Amino acid sequence: MTKLQVRAFLYQLGCFAILFISIKFLVAKYIPLTGLWIPMTAFVIGTILAPKFQAVKTKDGEKLFMKWVFVKGVKDVS
């Protein structure tokens, strides 16, 4: 794995973890779910809402791109 691929993985993991933990506490507090349904709901919502990062080799070298539900198109973040 290249340096940018590792960075993309860590960014994606960090964003998902922040969303998952936040949504898990919100679901537990405001929605009447119990047991395994709380983390499952947080997982699904976090997976949908988390930005996706990917390292791509281009003619200018390797670049890091991000795609997110709330941002139109693909953004270069490298």
Side-chain angles (χ1 to χ4, degrees), residues 22 26 49 51 54 72 78:
S22 302
L26 289 173
L49 295 182
Q54 186 172 12
K72 186 176 182 180
S78 57

Side-chain angles (χ1 to χ4, degrees), residues 14-55:
C15 291
F16 173 77
I18 290 168
L19 283 172
F20 175 78
I21 292 168
S22 302
I23 293 168
K24 184 178 173 186
F25 284 119
L26 289 173
V27 167
K29 185 168 179 93
Y30 295 111
I31 298 177
L33 295 176
T34 59
L36 192 60
W37 288 108
I38 295 171
M40 289 295 287
T41 304
F43 173 78
V44 170
I45 295 171
T47 301
I48 293 169
L49 295 182
K52 310 304 186 261
F53 293 91
Q54 186 172 12

Side-chain angles (χ1 to χ4, degrees), residues 4 7-8 11 51-55 62-67 71 74-78:
L4 278 181
R7 187 182 297 172
Y11 284 167
K52 310 304 186 261
F53 293 91
Q54 186 172 12
E62 195 171 26
K63 292 192 175 197
L64 185 62
F65 292 98
M66 177 192 76
K67 184 175 181 180
V71 177
V74 176
K75 301 294 180 187
D76 181 10
V77 292
S78 57

